[in-house]
Amino acid sequence: MIQEVIQWIIDYKEVISAVGVIIAAIGLYFNWRRTSMAVKENKEKKNEKKKAYLRIERSHAPSRSKRGYKDVLIIENTGESDAKNIQFYINGKTANEHGLFFMSEVPDRITSKNSITINLMIHKQTAPPWKIKIVYDDDFEDGREFETIVN
């Protein structure tokens, strides 16, 4: 019986070798695929840490005067990177061209995980809704844009 098995192995050694090579190639392919996916995920995580994500909302804050509330825009950076060189557009125009009066300046930078509050003075010609576009730089890319409609 053992001699028959040995003879069978000798007769089919090329087939056995080919099957071994095929199994090794399949293993290498799956290892390469898993490694390349891990490298891609790692690169995406590194890129996420380089990005600033902005969001904006209009709110009402209590006023110091006895008139009630004042309008404010709250711009929040929820990303891992600072937003720098901020340019603010309302309906395609800068704030001064649009006529909306900011009671406080839009800063040049919003640090990571922070927000800023901008006091507004609104009149009939500048009433919402506004299409707001913010162009900014972060560690991932220069000239990134955020657009939204604010009511």
Side-chain angles (χ1 to χ4, degrees):
M1 170 91 175
I2 293 178
Q3 294 227 349
E4 291 174 1
V5 172
I6 291 173
Q7 187 60 42
W8 185 85
I9 292 173
I10 291 170
D11 291 343
Y12 293 102
K13 64 183 172 193
E14 290 85 16
V15 173
I16 294 170
S17 295
V19 169
V21 168
I22 291 171
I23 290 172
I26 291 171
L28 284 172
Y29 168 74
F30 283 114
N31 185 40
W32 168 80
R33 192 169 149 199
R34 182 183 49 161
T35 302
S36 64
M37 287 175 27
V39 167
K40 185 178 178 181
E41 286 177 12
N42 191 23
K43 186 177 181 181
E44 288 174 1
K45 285 180 184 177
K46 283 183 181 179
N47 285 342
E48 285 301 310
K49 289 183 179 182
K50 294 179 181 180
K51 291 181 182 179
Y53 290 102
L54 300 181
R55 69 177 203 86
I56 189 166
E57 77 178 78
R58 178 178 169 221
S59 184
H60 302 286
S63 176
R64 284 189 227 166
S65 71
K66 296 185 181 190
R67 292 188 194 165
Y69 292 92
K70 59 184 175 183
D71 283 298
V72 296
L73 282 180
I74 301 168
I75 305 172
E76 182 179 12
N77 179 2
T78 60
E80 299 288 326
S81 177
D82 294 354
K84 304 170 275 228
N85 303 322
I86 296 171
Q87 300 166 22
F88 197 86
Y89 299 94
I90 303 168
N91 297 334
K93 301 175 182 177
T94 65
N96 291 338
E97 292 171 342
H98 181 268
L100 183 65
F101 185 68
F102 288 169
M103 304 289 285
S104 51
E105 268 187 53
V106 177
D108 188 52
R109 171 185 295 257
I110 302 174
T111 57
S112 171
K113 308 289 186 201
N114 281 313
S115 64
I116 58 154
T117 301
I118 301 170
N119 298 323
L120 304 174
M121 183 178 288
I122 301 172
H123 52 85
K124 282 184 181 179
Q125 291 81 15
T126 62
W130 304 305
K131 181 180 178 184
I132 294 183
K133 176 179 169 182
I134 301 174
V135 180
Y136 61 96
D137 302 337
D138 58 19
D139 294 336
F140 179 71
E141 181 178 41
D142 291 346
R144 292 191 65 204
E145 295 181 4
F146 169 75
E147 274 189 52
T148 190
I149 302 290
V150 174
N151 289 316

